[in-house]
Amino acid sequence: MVTADSPPLLDVRGLGIFFRTAAGEVQATRDVSFRLEAGERLGIVGESGCGKTVTGLSILGLLPRAQSRVVGAVHFEGRDLLSLSPRALRGVRGREISMIFQEPMSALDPVFTVGEQIAETLRVHRRMGRKEARERAVEALAQVGIPLPSRRVDEYPHQLSGGMRQRAMIAIALSCEPRILIADEPTTALDVTIQAQIIDLLVDLSARTGTALIFITHDLGVIAETCTRMLTMYAGEVVEDAPVDSALERPRHPYTSGLLRSIPRLSARKSLLPSIPGRVPSPADMPAGCRFRPRCAHGVAACAATQALLDVSDARRARCIRQAELDLPGAIA
């Protein structure tokens, strides 16, 4: 039973990711902090380049060690994943925390059948024999809704449709019944019908198995339908952390409000679609103070100082010094 004093399943504190480039070291994320409870579904949103995917990859130690450096702490059930050896981390990756990658055609190995790729995970982490692993692979494909799983298990990725490949990726990720599933744009390049099926599948599996879900996406509609809490990232920082309904109805950071106002909706003909002016700053040239300040219509002199992630209430935080005084429009405004 989870209580107010219970430690979270995942506790990310002050996560900072640095990449080594020819021009020197560049910081991709700064002070990324959030908590994930067992069975919770957390959505991470933001523009391309804001740090969503690298945050997910860093949790599992999947960033190239020679070209990157990660600071902070990622506590999972009492262990700091960032301090584990590569061998110890391999015991967590795929077994206790799994990830669905963005593009299944490049994530799946084209020279092995789908069944072999699922079975490999089971043999490594569950010490199963080949026969038992194959049987479980068929069951895993059936669980994610792939028709004729006993036949599909012997097919190669190129023989499957885009939706089936994505389901196969989900089957691999869920084969060891992980405590946490990180889904990085799992509906990218899929038609809307298949998108809806994948979303329903993830929500159903999370509800049935108690698997916590981190859903990385650009699609705020998907977040509204799938998640219970929303994390908004901008220029490598978390700028708002709130329950989904609260964030959609009354955002407390101007960037979250700008994203919500940019969603197309039914309106008068020839009306203008609101947009956020300017561009996301380069990681090598971040503005001082609030990183959203050059694009924000609500900026004041105090925004030139470094902004902390302030507690708005027990359940939400915002990185804006004016969050208490601004009345920002949301998705239903």
Side-chain angles (χ1 to χ4, degrees):
M1 179 179 179
V2 177
T3 66
D5 297 326
S6 300
L9 180 62
L10 184 72
D11 189 3
V12 178
R13 302 177 187 173
L15 187 68
I17 302 171
F18 299 80
F19 288 104
R20 300 178 181 93
T21 70
E25 194 172 63
V26 172
Q27 186 168 12
T29 71
R30 187 185 76 86
D31 190 27
V32 174
S33 301
F34 62 90
R35 296 157 63 98
L36 183 71
E37 304 292 345
E40 186 178 16
R41 298 191 296 274
L42 171 69
I44 303 181
V45 301
E47 292 172 87
S48 295
C50 70
K52 305 186 299 298
T53 294
V54 294
T55 296
L57 293 173
S58 67
I59 291 172
L60 286 174
L62 292 174
L63 295 175
R65 292 182 177 241
Q67 287 81 40
S68 64
R69 179 170 66 91
V70 182
V71 301
V74 178
H75 291 283
F76 171 68
E77 296 187 328
R79 292 167 289 176
D80 184 2
L81 299 183
L82 299 185
S83 66
L84 294 183
S85 66
R87 181 175 181 178
L89 191 56
R90 283 196 296 271
V92 174
R93 187 190 302 135
R95 180 173 185 172
E96 299 181 83
I97 304 177
S98 289
M99 187 166 186
I100 303 170
F101 297 98
Q102 191 169 36
E103 176 46 60
M105 199 58 212
S106 58
L108 291 171
D109 194 320
V111 301
F112 292 98
T113 66
V114 168
E116 288 173 326
Q117 295 182 61
I118 300 173
E120 179 186 24
T121 302
L122 294 166
R123 291 199 304 270
V124 169
H125 291 297
R126 297 297 187 189
R127 305 299 181 188
M128 290 183 181
R130 290 186 175 274
K131 182 178 179 182
E132 184 183 5
R134 176 186 166 82
E135 291 172 352
R136 288 289 298 275
V138 174
E139 293 174 5
L141 291 176
Q143 183 185 28
V144 298
I146 289 184
L148 303 174
S150 58
R151 191 182 79 185
R152 301 295 185 188
V153 75
D154 293 319
E155 293 185 344
Y156 291 87
H158 73 272
Q159 294 177 278
L160 304 181
S161 67
M164 284 188 181
R165 287 196 295 268
Q166 195 64 282
R167 287 171 186 258
M169 282 292 302
I170 296 172
I172 294 171
L174 293 174
S175 59
C176 290
E177 300 178 354
R179 302 292 306 282
I180 299 173
L181 177 63
I182 303 172
D184 184 12
E185 297 278 5
T187 58
T188 296
L190 301 180
D191 62 64
V192 291
T193 303
I194 301 300
Q195 281 187 26
Q197 293 174 1
I198 296 295
I199 291 167
D200 290 344
L201 173 64
L202 291 174
V203 172
D204 179 63
L205 290 172
S206 175
R208 283 194 291 108
T209 64
T211 299
L213 178 65
I214 299 178
F215 204 108
I216 299 170
T217 183
H218 293 91
D219 195 330
L220 289 164
V222 169
I223 294 294
E225 185 178 350
T226 307
C227 299
T228 55
R229 196 156 57 89
M230 187 171 93
L231 205 70
T232 308
M233 293 189 67
Y234 178 78
E237 292 183 332
V238 174
V239 296
E240 187 161 359
D241 180 357
V244 164
D245 290 344
S246 299
L248 295 178
E249 292 172 8
R250 194 187 174 202
R252 303 305 289 268
H253 193 280
Y255 178 63
T256 307
S257 176
L259 288 179
L260 295 173
R261 293 177 64 243
S262 299
I263 299 174
R265 64 194 72 191
L266 293 175
S267 58
R269 292 184 64 184
K270 298 185 179 181
S271 60
L272 296 176
L273 178 67
S275 62
I276 302 173
R279 294 176 177 271
V280 178
S282 165
D285 188 27
M286 288 293 179
C290 174
R291 293 184 172 184
F292 188 60
R293 181 167 57 101
R295 306 175 70 187
C296 182
H298 307 281
V300 294
C303 298
T306 300
Q307 304 294 302
L309 198 57
L310 304 173
D311 289 329
V312 178
S313 66
D314 290 340
R316 66 186 308 183
R317 301 175 298 162
R319 198 181 294 273
C320 179
I321 199 171
R322 301 191 64 196
Q323 54 84 16
E325 60 186 273
L326 294 177
D327 184 16
L328 301 169
I332 60 175

